[in-house]
Amino acid sequence: MNLSIGDVVLPGDRCDEISKIAVKSKVLIGPGLRRESDNVYITKPGILKKRNPNTFWVDSYQKRYIPSRGENIIGTVIQKAGDIFRVDVGGSCPAALSYLSFEGATKKNRPEVQIGDVIYAKMLVASKDMEPELVCVDSHGKKGRLGVLTDGFVFKSSLSLIRKILNPSCPLIDSLKKEWPFEIAAGMNGRIWIKANSMRETIAVGNAILAAEYLSDEDIKSMCNNVASILAGHLS
Amino acid sequence: MENRKKLSLPKSVLDMKFMKKTKDRLEKELDNIEGHHDLYADVITDEMRQASGNFISESSFIYCADLIEGRLSFNGVNPEIERLMELDKVEVNNGDMQKDVSDEVLAKKMGQFQRKRRSSPSKSANVKRKKY
């Protein structure tokens, strides 16, 4: 069977199209694809996607997070062990976060992180055989958007939902931001942290995000309007 | 591959008495290389030999799908994050490089240069013609 872009693919399927392109130019094969000598096989069930230039991946439904380098994640500090914090990221084992990898942290000036704190951090090391390592600074030593998330509310979702709401074409966040003020942090590990001015608004944002998982772009817009009108009704 | 091959001395030269040390060294090197092939024969698979560099594997979605930053703030909840979002937006609008010289100024200057260049060769040509 010939696979083409946008098809539903299953593990074990072979994609000849990618190997044909690879003869002439470089191809980037993302999650869900695996190369065996000159053939490319599918390893996850989902939809085969392509982005120019020559980037292929399988968009699959998944809830288990597998750490990979460079991703921003939300984790909970579960242990202070000497000079590192252990952070639960939802992977197979907790990730390590050095207390020195915070902005302005020195050996004398430790960052104020307690057990149970929620942090937004970047995966620095993620390999099959080693404990993943997190950092809360960029390469210039600036914290940027990373760090401890205070207050707010954390909930879990599937990994595909995170990708859906972070897609530039998804209208969810654009519709919600018009309705009321809120702050959001979406971790690639399937955790979302939200903070709004009231509990009602926080719950509304959370429900809107979870409801968006299987809706089309048009439906998302109308759903956001619904949520906003219900909330307005409650407030008045 | 041919170019990369190390230049070697001819056999007749190596056979000379004073080249004995060099000859021994070269033989040892050759042995070493052959030894390597035997030593790692079970580790190096055919797949490794045939591997083409055209496939780049990536385990993360963030480099494949085009995703926005995951930390966002709206309507003044977190001014710090909103400032960063503004900066990002400006960067996207300006393309990836900040221009020191604007397009108009560059066009004007280049126009002037072109005019000068066009006028100067004609002068020299006139001079040459006068010489003949």
Side-chain angles (χ1 to χ4, degrees), chain B residues 70-130:
Chain B
R71 179 98 189 260
L72 304 160
S73 164
F74 305 105
N75 301 331
V77 179
N78 191 338
E80 209 179 329
I81 299 295
E82 279 176 32
R83 195 175 49 84
L84 288 171
M85 284 165 67
E86 277 300 312
L87 287 176
D88 279 2
K89 214 188 257 176
V90 170
E91 234 164 67
V92 168
N93 288 343
N94 285 3
D96 43 4
M97 217 191 277
Q98 295 272 348
K99 282 173 190 159
D100 291 335
V101 182
S102 73
D103 286 347
E104 295 91 67
V105 174
L106 188 71
K108 216 171 161 187
K109 281 280 168 197
M110 283 308 280
Q112 283 175 4
F113 276 124
Q114 294 281 339
R115 239 174 286 145
K116 268 184 202 166
R117 214 184 270 170
R118 238 176 276 144
S119 54
S120 57
S122 59
K123 264 184 199 168
S124 61
N126 284 342
V127 172
K128 268 183 190 172
R129 226 171 272 156
K130 272 178 195 170

Side-chain angles (χ1 to χ4, degrees), chain A residues 22 26-31 35 40 51 68 70-71 143 145 149 163 166 168 173 177 182-186, chain B residues 53-64 66-72 74-75 77-78 80 84 88:
Chain A
K26 286 206 185 302
V27 288
L28 201 147
I29 50 175
R35 184 177 71 108
V40 176
R51 188 164 72 98
S68 50
E71 291 182 341
K143 67 172 186 258
R145 294 154 190 239
L149 302 171
R163 293 199 299 275
L166 291 184
I173 288 178
K177 75 180 179 190
F182 69 95
E183 190 185 353
I184 183 172
Chain B
N54 274 349
F55 287 101
I56 304 160
S57 281
E58 183 51 64
S59 65
S60 174
F61 285 100
I62 53 170
Y63 303 108
C64 302
D66 187 24
L67 301 177
I68 56 168
E69 268 290 335
R71 179 98 189 260
L72 304 160
F74 305 105
N75 301 331
V77 179
N78 191 338
E80 209 179 329
L84 288 171
D88 279 2

Side-chain angles (χ1 to χ4, degrees), chain B residues 29-41:
Chain B
E29 270 175 21
L30 205 70
D31 274 358
N32 259 343
I33 291 166
E34 278 168 6
H36 267 279
H37 283 301
D38 294 339
L39 196 61
Y40 297 114

Side-chain angles (χ1 to χ4, degrees), chain A residues 13-60:
Chain A
D13 289 352
R14 196 177 70 210
C15 190
D16 295 326
E17 192 185 329
I18 301 176
S19 19
K20 259 182 231 157
I21 294 171
V23 175
K24 283 173 273 168
S25 56
K26 286 206 185 302
V27 288
L28 201 147
I29 50 175
L33 294 170
R34 181 191 166 87
R35 184 177 71 108
E36 289 285 341
S37 66
D38 280 338
N39 296 321
V40 176
Y41 292 97
I42 312 288
T43 57
K44 281 181 189 172
I47 296 167
L48 186 63
K49 298 258 175 148
K50 184 195 179 186
R51 188 164 72 98
N52 285 328
N54 296 337
T55 305
F56 296 89
W57 74 97
V58 178
D59 205 9
S60 60

Side-chain angles (χ1 to χ4, degrees), chain A residues 65-75 89 119-124 133-138 143-147 149 159 162-163 166 184-192, chain B residues 60-63 67-72 88:
Chain A
Y65 177 62
I66 297 156
S68 50
R69 194 187 143 87
E71 291 182 341
N72 288 349
I73 55 93
I74 290 172
V89 294
I119 52 160
Y120 189 61
K122 194 179 268 299
M123 274 288 167
L124 180 71
E133 195 183 325
L134 299 169
V135 282
C136 278
V137 285
D138 62 7
K143 67 172 186 258
R145 294 154 190 239
L146 309 171
L149 302 171
L159 305 188
I162 303 286
R163 293 199 299 275
L166 291 184
I184 183 172
M188 291 304 288
N189 61 338
R191 286 176 196 189
I192 302 175
Chain B
S60 174
F61 285 100
I62 53 170
Y63 303 108
L67 301 177
I68 56 168
E69 268 290 335
R71 179 98 189 260
L72 304 160
D88 279 2

